[in-house]
Coordinates of all heavy atoms in Angstrom, one line a residue:
M1 N -17.9 25.4 -5.0 CA -17.6 26.0 -6.3 C -16.1 26.2 -6.3 O -15.5 26.7 -5.3 CB -18.4 27.3 -6.5 CG -18.0 28.0 -7.7 SD -18.3 27.2 -9.2 CE -19.6 28.1 -9.9
I2 N -15.4 26.0 -7.4 CA -14.0 26.2 -7.5 C -13.7 26.8 -8.9 O -14.3 26.5 -9.9 CB -13.2 24.9 -7.3 CG1 -11.7 25.2 -7.3 CG2 -13.6 23.9 -8.4 CD1 -10.9 23.9 -6.9
S3 N -12.8 27.8 -8.9 CA -12.3 28.3 -10.2 C -10.9 27.8 -10.3 O -10.1 27.7 -9.3 CB -12.3 29.8 -10.1 OG -13.6 30.3 -10.1
L4 N -10.5 27.6 -11.5 CA -9.2 27.0 -11.8 C -8.5 27.6 -13.0 O -9.1 27.6 -14.1 CB -9.3 25.4 -12.0 CG -8.1 24.6 -12.2 CD1 -7.2 24.6 -11.0 CD2 -8.6 23.2 -12.5
R5 N -7.3 28.0 -12.8 CA -6.5 28.5 -14.0 C -5.5 27.5 -14.3 O -4.8 27.0 -13.5 CB -5.8 29.8 -13.6 CG -6.8 31.0 -13.4 CD -6.0 32.3 -13.3 NE -6.9 33.4 -13.0 CZ -7.4 34.2 -13.9 NH1 -7.2 34.0 -15.1 NH2 -8.2 35.1 -13.5
L6 N -5.5 27.1 -15.6 CA -4.5 26.1 -16.1 C -3.6 26.8 -17.1 O -4.0 27.7 -17.8 CB -5.3 25.0 -16.8 CG -6.3 24.2 -16.0 CD1 -7.0 23.2 -16.9 CD2 -5.5 23.4 -14.9
P7 N -2.4 26.3 -17.2 CA -1.5 26.7 -18.3 C -2.2 26.5 -19.6 O -2.9 25.5 -19.8 CB -0.2 25.9 -18.1 CG -0.3 25.3 -16.7 CD -1.7 25.3 -16.4
I8 N -1.9 27.3 -20.6 CA -2.6 27.2 -21.9 C -2.5 25.8 -22.5 O -3.4 25.3 -23.1 CB -2.1 28.3 -22.9 CG1 -3.0 28.4 -24.1 CG2 -0.7 28.2 -23.3 CD1 -4.4 28.9 -23.9
E9 N -1.3 25.2 -22.4 CA -1.1 23.9 -23.0 C -2.0 22.8 -22.4 O -2.5 22.0 -23.1 CB 0.4 23.5 -22.9 CG 1.4 24.4 -23.6 CD 1.8 25.6 -22.7 OE1 1.6 25.5 -21.4 OE2 2.4 26.5 -23.3
L10 N -2.1 22.9 -21.1 CA -2.9 22.0 -20.4 C -4.4 22.2 -20.7 O -5.2 21.3 -20.9 CB -2.7 22.0 -18.9 CG -3.4 21.0 -18.0 CD1 -3.0 19.6 -18.4 CD2 -2.9 21.2 -16.5
E11 N -4.8 23.4 -20.8 CA -6.2 23.8 -21.1 C -6.5 23.3 -22.5 O -7.6 22.7 -22.8 CB -6.3 25.3 -21.1 CG -7.7 25.8 -21.6 CD -8.8 25.7 -20.6 OE1 -8.5 25.6 -19.4 OE2 -10.0 25.5 -21.1
Q12 N -5.6 23.4 -23.5 CA -5.8 22.9 -24.8 C -5.9 21.4 -24.9 O -6.7 20.8 -25.5 CB -4.7 23.4 -25.8 CG -4.7 24.9 -26.0 CD -3.5 25.4 -26.8 OE1 -2.5 24.7 -26.8 NE2 -3.6 26.6 -27.3
E13 N -5.0 20.8 -24.1 CA -5.1 19.3 -24.1 C -6.4 18.8 -23.4 O -7.0 17.8 -23.9 CB -3.8 18.8 -23.3 CG -3.6 17.3 -23.5 CD -2.3 16.9 -22.9 OE1 -1.5 17.7 -22.4 OE2 -2.0 15.6 -23.0
L14 N -6.8 19.4 -22.4 CA -8.0 19.1 -21.7 C -9.2 19.3 -22.7 O -10.1 18.4 -22.7 CB -8.2 19.9 -20.4 CG -9.4 19.6 -19.6 CD1 -9.5 18.2 -19.1 CD2 -9.4 20.6 -18.4
S15 N -9.2 20.4 -23.4 CA -10.3 20.6 -24.4 C -10.3 19.6 -25.4 O -11.4 19.1 -25.8 CB -10.1 22.0 -25.0 OG -10.3 23.0 -24.1
A16 N -9.2 19.2 -25.9 CA -9.1 18.2 -27.0 C -9.6 16.8 -26.5 O -10.3 16.1 -27.2 CB -7.7 18.0 -27.5
I17 N -9.2 16.5 -25.2 CA -9.6 15.2 -24.7 C -11.2 15.2 -24.4 O -11.8 14.2 -24.7 CB -8.9 14.9 -23.4 CG1 -7.4 14.6 -23.7 CG2 -9.5 13.7 -22.6 CD1 -6.5 14.5 -22.4
A18 N -11.7 16.3 -23.9 CA -13.1 16.4 -23.7 C -13.9 16.2 -25.0 O -14.9 15.5 -25.1 CB -13.5 17.8 -23.1
K19 N -13.4 16.8 -26.1 CA -14.0 16.7 -27.4 C -14.0 15.2 -27.9 O -15.0 14.7 -28.3 CB -13.4 17.6 -28.4 CG -14.1 17.7 -29.7 CD -13.4 18.7 -30.6 CE -14.2 18.8 -31.9 NZ -13.7 19.9 -32.8
L20 N -12.8 14.6 -27.7 CA -12.6 13.2 -28.2 C -13.5 12.2 -27.4 O -14.1 11.3 -27.9 CB -11.2 12.7 -28.0 CG -10.2 13.2 -29.1 CD1 -8.8 12.9 -28.7 CD2 -10.5 12.6 -30.4
E21 N -13.7 12.5 -26.1 CA -14.5 11.7 -25.2 C -15.9 12.1 -25.1 O -16.7 11.4 -24.4 CB -13.9 11.7 -23.8 CG -12.5 11.2 -23.7 CD -12.4 9.7 -23.9 OE1 -13.3 8.9 -23.4 OE2 -11.5 9.2 -24.6
S22 N -16.3 13.1 -25.9 CA -17.7 13.6 -25.9 C -18.2 13.9 -24.4 O -19.3 13.4 -24.0 CB -18.6 12.6 -26.5 OG -18.3 12.4 -27.9
T23 N -17.4 14.6 -23.7 CA -17.7 15.0 -22.4 C -17.3 16.4 -22.1 O -16.9 17.1 -23.1 CB -17.1 14.0 -21.3 OG1 -17.6 14.3 -20.0 CG2 -15.6 14.1 -21.3
T24 N -17.4 16.9 -20.9 CA -17.0 18.3 -20.6 C -15.7 18.3 -19.9 O -15.3 17.3 -19.2 CB -18.1 19.0 -19.8 OG1 -18.1 18.3 -18.5 CG2 -19.4 19.0 -20.5
K25 N -15.0 19.4 -19.9 CA -13.8 19.6 -19.2 C -14.1 19.5 -17.7 O -13.3 18.9 -16.9 CB -13.1 21.0 -19.5 CG -12.6 21.1 -20.9 CD -11.9 22.4 -21.2 CE -12.9 23.5 -21.2 NZ -12.3 24.8 -21.5
T26 N -15.2 20.0 -17.3 CA -15.6 19.9 -15.9 C -15.7 18.5 -15.4 O -15.3 18.1 -14.3 CB -17.0 20.7 -15.6 OG1 -16.8 22.0 -16.0 CG2 -17.4 20.5 -14.2
Q27 N -16.3 17.6 -16.2 CA -16.5 16.2 -15.9 C -15.2 15.5 -15.8 O -14.9 14.7 -14.9 CB -17.4 15.5 -16.9 CG -17.7 14.1 -16.5 CD -18.4 13.9 -15.2 OE1 -19.2 14.8 -14.8 NE2 -18.2 12.8 -14.5
I28 N -14.2 15.8 -16.7 CA -12.9 15.2 -16.6 C -12.2 15.6 -15.4 O -11.6 14.8 -14.7 CB -12.1 15.6 -17.9 CG1 -12.7 14.9 -19.1 CG2 -10.6 15.2 -17.7 CD1 -12.1 15.4 -20.4
V29 N -12.2 16.9 -15.0 CA -11.5 17.4 -13.8 C -12.2 16.8 -12.6 O -11.5 16.4 -11.7 CB -11.6 19.0 -13.8 CG1 -11.1 19.5 -12.5 CG2 -10.8 19.5 -14.9
R30 N -13.5 16.7 -12.6 CA -14.2 16.1 -11.4 C -13.8 14.7 -11.2 O -13.5 14.3 -10.1 CB -15.7 16.2 -11.7 CG -16.5 15.7 -10.5 CD -18.0 15.8 -10.7 NE -18.5 17.2 -10.9 CZ -19.1 17.7 -12.0 NH1 -19.4 16.9 -13.0 NH2 -19.5 18.9 -12.0
E31 N -13.8 13.9 -12.3 CA -13.3 12.5 -12.2 C -11.9 12.4 -11.8 O -11.5 11.5 -11.0 CB -13.6 11.8 -13.5 CG -15.0 11.6 -13.8 CD -15.2 11.0 -15.2 OE1 -14.3 10.5 -15.9 OE2 -16.4 11.0 -15.7
A32 N -11.0 13.3 -12.3 CA -9.6 13.3 -11.9 C -9.4 13.5 -10.4 O -8.6 12.9 -9.7 CB -8.8 14.3 -12.7
I33 N -10.2 14.5 -9.9 CA -10.1 14.8 -8.4 C -10.6 13.7 -7.6 O -10.0 13.3 -6.6 CB -10.9 16.1 -8.1 CG1 -10.1 17.3 -8.8 CG2 -11.0 16.3 -6.6 CD1 -10.9 18.6 -8.7
V34 N -11.7 13.1 -8.0 CA -12.3 11.9 -7.2 C -11.2 10.8 -7.2 O -11.0 10.2 -6.2 CB -13.6 11.4 -7.9 CG1 -14.0 10.1 -7.3 CG2 -14.7 12.5 -7.6
E35 N -10.6 10.5 -8.3 CA -9.6 9.4 -8.4 C -8.4 9.8 -7.6 O -7.8 9.0 -6.8 CB -9.2 9.2 -9.9 CG -8.2 8.0 -10.0 CD -7.9 7.7 -11.5 OE1 -8.8 8.0 -12.3 OE2 -6.9 7.1 -11.7
F36 N -7.9 11.1 -7.6 CA -6.8 11.5 -6.8 C -7.1 11.3 -5.3 O -6.2 10.8 -4.6 CB -6.5 13.0 -7.1 CG -5.4 13.6 -6.2 CD1 -4.1 13.4 -6.6 CD2 -5.8 14.3 -5.1 CE1 -3.1 13.9 -5.7 CE2 -4.8 14.8 -4.3 CZ -3.4 14.6 -4.6
I37 N -8.3 11.7 -4.9 CA -8.6 11.6 -3.5 C -8.7 10.1 -3.0 O -8.2 9.8 -2.0 CB -9.9 12.3 -3.1 CG1 -9.7 13.8 -3.3 CG2 -10.4 12.0 -1.8 CD1 -11.0 14.7 -3.2
A38 N -9.2 9.3 -3.9 CA -9.3 7.9 -3.6 C -7.9 7.3 -3.4 O -7.6 6.5 -2.5 CB -10.1 7.1 -4.6
N39 N -7.0 7.6 -4.4 CA -5.6 7.1 -4.3 C -4.9 7.6 -3.1 O -4.1 6.9 -2.5 CB -4.9 7.5 -5.6 CG -5.3 6.7 -6.8 OD1 -5.8 5.6 -6.7 ND2 -5.1 7.3 -8.0
L40 N -5.1 8.9 -2.7 CA -4.5 9.4 -1.6 C -5.0 8.7 -0.3 O -4.1 8.4 0.6 CB -4.8 10.9 -1.5 CG -4.1 11.7 -0.3 CD1 -2.6 11.7 -0.5 CD2 -4.7 13.1 -0.3
K41 N -6.2 8.5 -0.2 CA -6.8 7.8 1.0 C -6.2 6.4 1.0 O -5.9 5.9 2.1 CB -8.3 7.7 0.9 CG -9.0 9.0 1.3 CD -10.5 8.8 1.2 CE -11.2 10.1 1.5 NZ -12.7 9.9 1.4
K42 N -6.1 5.7 -0.1 CA -5.5 4.4 -0.2 C -4.1 4.4 0.3 O -3.7 3.5 1.1 CB -5.7 3.8 -1.6 CG -5.3 2.4 -1.7 CD -5.5 1.9 -3.1 CE -5.1 0.5 -3.3 NZ -5.3 0.0 -4.7
R43 N -3.3 5.3 -0.2 CA -1.9 5.4 0.2 C -1.7 5.7 1.6 O -0.9 5.1 2.3 CB -1.2 6.5 -0.7 CG -0.8 6.0 -2.1 CD 0.2 7.0 -2.7 NE 0.0 8.4 -2.4 CZ -0.6 9.2 -3.2 NH1 -1.1 8.8 -4.3 NH2 -0.7 10.5 -2.9
R44 N -2.5 6.6 2.1 CA -2.4 7.0 3.6 C -2.9 5.9 4.5 O -2.5 5.8 5.6 CB -3.1 8.3 3.8 CG -2.4 9.4 3.3 CD -3.0 10.7 3.7 NE -2.2 11.8 3.2 CZ -2.5 13.1 3.4 NH1 -3.7 13.4 4.0 NH2 -1.8 14.1 2.9
G45 N -3.8 5.0 4.0 CA -4.3 4.0 4.8 C -3.4 2.7 4.8 O -3.6 1.8 5.5
N46 N -2.4 2.7 3.9 CA -1.5 1.6 3.8 C -0.4 1.6 4.9 O 0.7 1.9 4.7 CB -0.8 1.5 2.5 CG -1.8 1.0 1.4 OD1 -2.8 0.4 1.7 ND2 -1.4 1.2 0.2
T47 N -0.8 1.2 6.1 CA 0.1 1.1 7.2 C 0.7 -0.4 7.1 O 0.1 -1.2 6.5 CB -0.6 1.2 8.6 OG1 -1.5 0.2 8.7 CG2 -1.3 2.6 8.7
P48 N 1.8 -0.6 7.8 CA 2.3 -2.0 7.8 C 1.3 -3.0 8.3 O 1.2 -4.1 7.7 CB 3.5 -1.9 8.8 CG 4.0 -0.5 8.7 CD 2.7 0.3 8.5
Y49 N 0.5 -2.6 9.3 CA -0.6 -3.5 9.7 C -1.6 -3.8 8.6 O -2.0 -4.9 8.4 CB -1.2 -3.0 11.0 CG -2.3 -4.0 11.4 CD1 -2.0 -5.2 12.1 CD2 -3.7 -3.7 11.1 CE1 -3.0 -6.1 12.4 CE2 -4.7 -4.6 11.5 CZ -4.3 -5.8 12.1 OH -5.3 -6.7 12.5
S50 N -2.1 -2.7 8.0 CA -3.2 -2.9 7.0 C -2.7 -3.7 5.8 O -3.5 -4.4 5.2 CB -3.7 -1.5 6.5 OG -2.8 -0.8 5.8
L51 N -1.4 -3.6 5.5 CA -0.9 -4.3 4.3 C -0.7 -5.8 4.7 O -0.8 -6.7 3.8 CB 0.5 -3.8 3.9 CG 0.5 -2.4 3.3 CD1 1.9 -1.9 3.1 CD2 -0.2 -2.4 2.0
G52 N -0.5 -6.2 5.9 CA -0.3 -7.6 6.3 C -1.3 -8.1 7.2 O -1.1 -9.2 7.8
H53 N -2.4 -7.4 7.4 CA -3.4 -7.9 8.5 C -3.9 -9.3 8.3 O -4.1 -10.0 9.2 CB -4.6 -6.9 8.6 CG -5.6 -7.0 7.5 ND1 -5.4 -6.5 6.2 CD2 -6.7 -7.7 7.4 CE1 -6.4 -6.8 5.5 NE2 -7.2 -7.5 6.2
D54 N -4.0 -9.7 7.0 CA -4.4 -11.1 6.7 C -3.4 -12.1 7.1 O -3.7 -13.3 7.1 CB -4.9 -11.2 5.3 CG -3.8 -10.9 4.3 OD1 -3.0 -10.0 4.6 OD2 -3.8 -11.4 3.2
L55 N -2.2 -11.7 7.3 CA -1.1 -12.6 7.6 C -0.8 -12.7 9.1 O -0.3 -13.7 9.6 CB 0.2 -12.2 7.0 CG 0.2 -12.1 5.4 CD1 1.4 -11.5 4.9 CD2 -0.1 -13.4 4.8
F56 N -1.2 -11.7 9.9 CA -1.0 -11.7 11.3 C -1.8 -12.7 12.1 O -3.0 -12.9 11.8 CB -1.2 -10.3 11.9 CG -0.3 -9.3 11.3 CD1 -0.9 -8.0 11.0 CD2 1.0 -9.5 11.1 CE1 -0.1 -7.1 10.4 CE2 1.8 -8.5 10.6 CZ 1.3 -7.3 10.2
G57 N -1.2 -13.5 12.9 CA -1.9 -14.5 13.7 C -2.3 -15.8 13.0 O -3.0 -16.5 13.5
V58 N -1.7 -16.0 11.9 CA -2.0 -17.3 11.2 C -1.0 -18.3 11.3 O -1.1 -19.4 10.8 CB -2.3 -17.0 9.7 CG1 -3.4 -16.1 9.4 CG2 -1.0 -16.4 9.0
Y59 N 0.1 -18.1 12.1 CA 1.1 -19.1 12.3 C 0.7 -20.2 13.2 O 0.2 -19.9 14.3 CB 2.4 -18.4 12.8 CG 3.6 -19.3 13.0 CD1 4.2 -19.8 11.9 CD2 4.0 -19.6 14.3 CE1 5.3 -20.7 12.1 CE2 5.0 -20.5 14.5 CZ 5.7 -21.0 13.4 OH 6.8 -21.8 13.6
D60 N 0.9 -21.4 12.8 CA 0.4 -22.5 13.6 C 1.6 -23.2 14.4 O 1.3 -24.2 15.1 CB -0.2 -23.6 12.7 CG -1.7 -23.3 12.4 OD1 -2.3 -22.5 13.1 OD2 -2.2 -23.9 11.5
G61 N 2.8 -22.8 14.2 CA 3.9 -23.5 14.9 C 4.1 -23.0 16.3 O 3.3 -22.5 17.0
D62 N 5.4 -23.2 16.7 CA 5.8 -22.9 18.1 C 5.6 -21.4 18.3 O 6.2 -20.5 17.6 CB 7.3 -23.2 18.2 CG 7.8 -23.0 19.6 OD1 7.1 -22.6 20.5 OD2 9.0 -23.3 19.8
E63 N 4.9 -21.0 19.4 CA 4.7 -19.6 19.7 C 5.8 -18.9 20.3 O 5.8 -17.7 20.5 CB 3.4 -19.5 20.6 CG 2.2 -20.0 19.9 CD 0.9 -19.9 20.8 OE1 1.1 -19.4 21.9 OE2 -0.1 -20.4 20.3
N64 N 6.8 -19.7 20.8 CA 7.9 -19.1 21.5 C 9.2 -19.1 20.7 O 10.3 -19.2 21.3 CB 8.2 -19.9 22.8 CG 7.0 -19.8 23.7 OD1 6.4 -18.7 23.9 ND2 6.6 -20.9 24.3
L65 N 9.1 -18.9 19.4 CA 10.3 -19.0 18.6 C 11.4 -18.0 19.0 O 12.6 -18.3 19.0 CB 9.9 -18.8 17.1 CG 9.2 -19.9 16.5 CD1 8.8 -19.5 15.0 CD2 10.1 -21.2 16.5
S66 N 11.0 -16.8 19.2 CA 12.1 -15.8 19.5 C 12.5 -15.8 21.0 O 13.6 -15.6 21.3 CB 11.6 -14.4 19.2 OG 10.4 -14.0 20.0
S67 N 11.6 -16.1 21.9 CA 11.9 -16.1 23.3 C 12.8 -17.2 23.8 O 13.5 -17.1 24.7 CB 10.6 -16.0 24.2 OG 9.9 -17.1 24.0
D68 N 12.7 -18.4 23.2 CA 13.5 -19.5 23.6 C 14.5 -20.0 22.6 O 14.9 -21.2 22.6 CB 12.6 -20.6 24.2 CG 11.8 -21.4 23.1 OD1 11.8 -20.9 21.9 OD2 11.2 -22.4 23.4
Y69 N 14.9 -19.1 21.7 CA 15.8 -19.5 20.6 C 17.1 -20.0 21.1 O 17.6 -21.0 20.7 CB 16.0 -18.2 19.7 CG 17.1 -18.5 18.7 CD1 16.8 -19.2 17.5 CD2 18.4 -17.9 18.8 CE1 17.8 -19.4 16.6 CE2 19.3 -18.1 17.9 CZ 19.0 -18.9 16.8 OH 20.0 -19.1 15.8
K70 N 17.7 -19.3 22.1 CA 19.0 -19.7 22.7 C 18.9 -21.1 23.3 O 19.8 -22.0 23.1 CB 19.5 -18.7 23.7 CG 20.8 -19.0 24.2 CD 21.4 -18.0 25.1 CE 22.7 -18.4 25.6 NZ 23.3 -17.5 26.6
N71 N 17.8 -21.4 24.0 CA 17.6 -22.7 24.6 C 17.5 -23.8 23.6 O 18.1 -24.9 23.7 CB 16.4 -22.7 25.5 CG 16.6 -21.9 26.8 OD1 17.7 -21.6 27.2 ND2 15.4 -21.4 27.3
R72 N 16.8 -23.5 22.5 CA 16.6 -24.5 21.5 C 17.9 -24.8 20.7 O 18.3 -25.9 20.4 CB 15.5 -24.1 20.5 CG 14.1 -24.2 21.1 CD 13.0 -24.0 20.1 NE 13.1 -22.6 19.5 CZ 13.4 -22.4 18.2 NH1 13.7 -23.4 17.4 NH2 13.4 -21.2 17.7
L73 N 18.7 -23.7 20.5 CA 20.0 -23.8 19.8 C 20.9 -24.6 20.7 O 21.6 -25.5 20.2 CB 20.5 -22.4 19.5 CG 21.8 -22.3 18.8 CD1 21.7 -23.0 17.4 CD2 22.3 -20.9 18.6
D74 N 21.0 -24.3 22.0 CA 21.9 -25.1 22.9 C 21.5 -26.5 22.9 O 22.4 -27.4 22.8 CB 21.7 -24.5 24.3 CG 22.5 -23.2 24.5 OD1 23.3 -22.9 23.7 OD2 22.2 -22.5 25.5
K75 N 20.2 -26.8 22.9 CA 19.7 -28.2 22.9 C 20.1 -28.9 21.6 O 20.6 -30.1 21.6 CB 18.2 -28.3 23.1 CG 17.7 -29.7 23.1 CD 16.2 -29.6 23.3 CE 15.6 -31.0 23.3 NZ 14.2 -31.1 23.5
M76 N 20.0 -28.2 20.4 CA 20.3 -28.8 19.1 C 21.8 -29.1 19.1 O 22.3 -30.1 18.6 CB 19.9 -27.9 18.0 CG 18.4 -27.8 17.8 SD 17.8 -26.6 16.6 CE 19.1 -26.3 15.5
L77 N 22.6 -28.1 19.6 CA 24.1 -28.3 19.5 C 24.5 -29.5 20.5 O 25.4 -30.2 20.1 CB 24.8 -27.0 19.9 CG 24.7 -25.9 18.9 CD1 25.3 -24.6 19.5 CD2 25.4 -26.3 17.6
D78 N 23.9 -29.5 21.6 CA 24.2 -30.7 22.6 C 23.9 -32.0 21.9 O 24.7 -32.9 22.0 CB 23.4 -30.5 23.9 CG 24.0 -29.5 24.8 OD1 25.2 -29.1 24.6 OD2 23.3 -29.0 25.7
E79 N 22.7 -32.1 21.3 CA 22.4 -33.3 20.6 C 23.3 -33.7 19.5 O 23.7 -34.8 19.3 CB 20.9 -33.2 20.1 CG 19.9 -33.2 21.2 CD 18.5 -33.0 20.7 OE1 18.3 -32.8 19.4 OE2 17.5 -32.9 21.5
K80 N 23.7 -32.7 18.8 CA 24.6 -32.9 17.6 C 26.0 -33.4 18.0 O 26.6 -34.3 17.4 CB 24.7 -31.6 16.8 CG 25.6 -31.8 15.6 CD 25.6 -30.5 14.8 CE 26.5 -30.7 13.5 NZ 26.6 -29.5 12.7
H81 N 26.5 -32.8 19.1 CA 27.9 -33.2 19.5 C 27.9 -34.3 20.5 O 29.0 -34.8 20.8 CB 28.5 -31.9 20.1 CG 28.7 -30.8 19.1 ND1 29.7 -31.0 18.1 CD2 28.1 -29.6 18.9 CE1 29.6 -29.9 17.3 NE2 28.7 -29.1 17.8
H82 N 26.9 -34.8 21.0 CA 26.9 -35.9 22.0 C 26.5 -37.2 21.3 O 26.4 -38.2 22.0 CB 26.0 -35.6 23.2 CG 26.6 -34.6 24.1 ND1 26.2 -33.2 24.1 CD2 27.6 -34.6 25.0 CE1 27.0 -32.6 25.0 NE2 27.8 -33.4 25.5
H83 N 26.1 -37.2 20.1 CA 25.7 -38.4 19.4 C 26.8 -39.0 18.5 O 27.6 -38.6 17.9 CB 24.5 -38.2 18.5 CG 23.2 -38.1 19.4 ND1 22.6 -36.9 19.6 CD2 22.6 -39.0 20.1 CE1 21.6 -37.1 20.4 NE2 21.5 -38.4 20.7

């Protein structure tokens, strides 16, 4: 159970919306809280890994791109300047 005090303007707006939507203020507040919590969970769950998990491990090329970059660059430069 929860009690909630709202500023008069917000209370009036909530009442008007409830009347227009043929529902109760309680139902609107309940739905708003459920949506807020879902959005919060979604935002907090968005780690760099979760955002790109479908992209990790899908590369089919050379697995040593960063570790042997200097060797590959030296080889490319040697080939370019010796031909």
Side-chain angles (χ1 to χ4, degrees):
M1 175 64 111
I2 186 171
S3 295
L4 180 65
R5 291 191 187 264
L6 298 174
I8 189 70
E9 299 85 17
L10 188 54
E11 173 78 27
Q12 290 171 344
E13 193 169 359
L14 183 59
S15 293
I17 291 170
K19 187 173 184 177
L20 284 172
E21 295 293 317
S22 299
T23 189
T24 64
K25 293 184 288 184
T26 299
Q27 185 60 32
I28 293 171
V29 171
R30 185 180 295 124
E31 289 175 13
I33 292 171
V34 167
E35 186 173 335
F36 175 83
I37 291 171
N39 287 336
L40 184 62
K41 285 179 180 179
K42 186 176 179 182
R43 282 196 319 265
R44 287 190 176 173
N46 284 343
T47 63
Y49 178 79
S50 68
L51 292 172
H53 77 279
D54 57 328
L55 302 174
F56 299 135
V58 296
Y59 181 70
D60 277 342
D62 184 359
E63 295 177 6
N64 298 316
L65 287 178
S66 63
S67 62
D68 69 353
Y69 172 77
K70 185 177 178 185
N71 293 336
R72 289 187 301 109
L73 183 59
D74 286 342
K75 183 178 176 183
M76 287 173 25
L77 290 173
D78 283 345
E79 289 174 359
K80 181 177 181 179
H81 293 291
H82 287 99
H83 285 106

